[in-house]
Amino acid sequence: MKLFEYVRRGAWPEVVGYGLFVTLLAAGYYYNITFVQLGLIDLGTRLVGLPATTVSAWMGALALVTFAAAVGFGILMDRRGWSRELRTKLRALFAVLCVQFVLTMAAPHVRDPAAFGAWIVAASVSMGVGFPVTFSLTIDFVPVRDRGYVAAAATAVAYFAGNVYPLEWSIGAFSRVMAVAMVPGLVVLGALALRDLGFVDAVADNHREFGVGRFCRPDTVQLRSFAFLGPLALMFGVFFVDSLGFLRIVETPALVRSAWQSPDFSVHLLIGAVHVVGAVAAGVLYTNFDRNWLFAWVFGLFALTHLLYTFDLRLASAVPGLAGGAPPLVNPIFYALTVSFYTTLNFALWPDLSTPATIGTHSAVGVGFAGFLSTFLSTAVALYFEHAEVTLISHLSLVNALALLLFVALGLSLYGRAVYRHARAGPVTTGRAERGAHDDAPGGEP
């Protein structure tokens, strides 16, 4: 790792940059997976008193506004050159954190639908601005060689904290935790953004060395090229499969109370530890293999996870005597492992498909489209299934089939690409064999 080289040289600004970036990325993701995804449902249904379908519609509006704000601000960053200006990005992120701190403190006091809608819009805009700004900090703090490991560290921290604390899924509990965590963040980020600190000047030009992503060598990746649209479509599929399955699981008390809402703290600790193991494994795989293999791992793990869930349900239906105890923990364990795999990939992928001139737009489109719009669409499908009274086993079987289909399709496309390359290469010569080996090296173009 490049980090060890910096430690040996005593390059402490670069070392501190690793820690700062992991903290910012993990904190931002923790905010999204707890406060936004889980807290808003509690706020809308319990405190405001809206029907679940209305809250889901507002969640869809949140996804659309966030996507629009992210793309708009990402394009603005690239056109104005802000993607290369570290101090400008820190000031933008400080402004986002100030807005989110106020919104976090105000959330438990929202009681009417109009205020709930206004809160959603304000939160969406702040998150939309925050995504391209946060991801673009990669080119200032993280060398290309270490991005898989740094993404793994942020994933591990976010999910371990998200599973261990808080245990209660309520807007009040999430608000208290986030407000306490944001105070030191406001102080540190405010100092970096508004004060003339030497640390910022020391790392401000790192984008010249760190800026060109792993998959932009030797040729840069364009937004409308297959090299970008292919991973975008695959990541859209990953988020869609995850949300479609998890939305039904969390609505099933027997499944969620034996895992993510278990009263037993050791269960939370176990799931958090699995997330850490999965993130570390994904970081190693991302660094040493092509990204397509990691996508194949993710789809394969999702298929296996939902196969386990449906197998357990079929067994309980066929032999009711075996269904007396709680659902097995192996199911959420595999789910946690899979989620850590794709989150690590998501953190590292978009900066590695970018340069300092494109990272604002690429990260905004990648996170906004593949993450938020995919989640919005899967939420709509899940609601349709609920109104159509689709059974739990049918719902999870469909998710399992979709994950398996994507896994097989990706495998066939990789095989077809290899056959096409060999067919174009013609008779093998020494020089062509060497070039072919280079093309298949980890990190090569898709």
Side-chain angles (χ1 to χ4, degrees):
M1 287 183 67
K2 193 83 172 175
L3 173 62
F4 299 143
E5 181 183 327
Y6 289 135
V7 172
R8 284 195 299 272
R9 285 168 38 195
W12 302 119
E14 279 72 14
V15 175
V16 172
Y18 277 78
L20 179 62
F21 183 75
V22 169
T23 303
L24 290 173
L25 199 58
Y29 205 69
Y30 178 87
Y31 179 83
N32 290 331
I33 62 175
T34 58
F35 191 83
V36 175
Q37 291 188 4
L38 301 175
L40 286 190
I41 297 174
D42 178 64
L43 173 61
T45 56
R46 186 173 61 86
L47 297 186
V48 181
L50 295 172
T53 52
T54 305
V55 174
S56 297
W58 273 113
M59 295 293 279
L62 180 142
L64 290 172
V65 176
T66 301
F67 174 63
V71 173
F73 197 77
I75 293 173
L76 188 66
M77 285 178 62
D78 289 342
R79 290 185 176 177
R80 294 289 182 89
W82 296 345
S83 298
R84 300 184 182 87
E85 298 175 6
L86 176 58
R87 201 173 293 278
T88 301
K89 290 185 285 189
L90 290 173
R91 286 172 179 166
L93 197 58
F94 177 64
V96 167
L97 186 59
C98 289
V99 172
Q100 291 184 342
F101 179 74
V102 173
L103 291 172
T104 301
M105 296 292 290
H109 306 288
V110 173
R111 288 295 184 275
D112 65 86
F116 182 71
W119 195 99
I120 290 280
V121 172
S124 304
V125 173
S126 69
M127 286 193 298
V129 173
F131 284 144
V133 173
T134 304
F135 275 75
S136 66
L137 291 174
T138 309
I139 63 174
D140 302 295
F141 295 135
V142 187
V144 174
R145 190 196 305 175
D146 290 357
R147 285 181 182 172
Y149 300 119
V150 171
T155 300
V157 172
Y159 278 112
F160 186 82
N163 280 277
V164 171
Y165 194 82
L167 301 181
E168 181 188 357
W169 287 3
S170 70
I171 191 67
F174 289 134
S175 178
R176 287 191 295 273
V177 172
M178 291 309 307
V180 170
M182 282 179 172
V183 170
L186 282 168
V187 174
V188 173
L189 203 53
L192 293 173
L194 305 177
R195 305 288 293 182
D196 189 18
L197 300 180
F199 164 75
V200 178
D201 295 330
V203 298
D205 290 331
N206 280 353
H207 67 271
R208 301 181 192 281
E209 179 184 352
F210 303 164
V212 180
R214 172 184 167 187
F215 304 119
C216 289
R217 301 173 183 183
D219 301 318
T220 59
V221 173
Q222 302 300 317
L223 185 67
R224 297 179 181 178
S225 67
F226 180 74
F228 185 85
L229 297 178
L232 185 70
L234 289 173
M235 192 59 81
F236 185 94
V238 168
F239 275 95
F240 186 88
V241 168
D242 175 33
S243 297
L244 188 61
F246 193 67
L247 284 171
R248 189 59 184 262
I249 290 173
V250 297
E251 292 295 328
T252 308
L255 298 181
V256 73
R257 287 177 186 165
S258 62
W260 294 277
Q261 283 193 321
S262 170
D264 187 352
F265 179 74
S266 64
V267 173
H268 294 260
L269 196 60
L270 175 62
I271 295 175
V274 170
H275 272 296
V276 174
V277 172
V280 172
V284 173
L285 289 173
Y286 182 87
T287 304
N288 294 285
F289 293 92
D290 187 271
R291 61 187 179 275
N292 289 329
W293 290 108
L294 203 53
F295 273 117
W297 268 96
V298 170
F299 289 131
L301 282 172
F302 265 133
L304 176 61
T305 301
H306 287 93
L307 179 65
L308 291 172
Y309 271 109
T310 54
F311 176 80
D312 187 53
L313 292 170
R314 288 193 177 94
L315 182 63
S317 176
V319 190
L322 295 177
L329 263 178
V330 67
N331 299 351
I333 284 175
F334 267 96
Y335 212 110
L337 192 68
T338 311
V339 168
S340 280
F341 262 66
Y342 89 73
T343 304
T344 300
L345 177 60
N346 184 54
F347 282 162
L349 181 62
W350 309 117
D352 273 346
L353 288 169
S354 308
T355 67
T358 61
I359 192 167
T361 305
H362 285 194
S363 59
V365 172
V367 177
F369 180 81
F372 271 76
L373 284 191
S374 177
T375 302
F376 163 65
L377 184 60
S378 63
T379 301
V381 174
L383 279 174
Y384 172 78
F385 285 171
E386 184 178 341
H387 284 290
E389 298 183 350
V390 175
T391 62
L392 174 63
I393 191 168
S394 297
H395 186 131
L396 296 184
S397 294
L398 180 65
V399 179
N400 181 29
L402 183 58
L404 194 59
L405 176 65
L406 291 168
F407 174 73
V408 173
L410 180 59
L412 289 176
S413 69
L414 291 175
Y415 178 75
R417 187 184 67 175
V419 171
Y420 176 72
R421 282 182 173 175
H422 284 293
R424 287 195 63 186
V428 176
T429 62
T430 302
R432 285 180 174 175
E434 290 175 351
R435 286 195 296 273
H438 176 74
D439 289 344
D440 290 337
E445 288 297 310

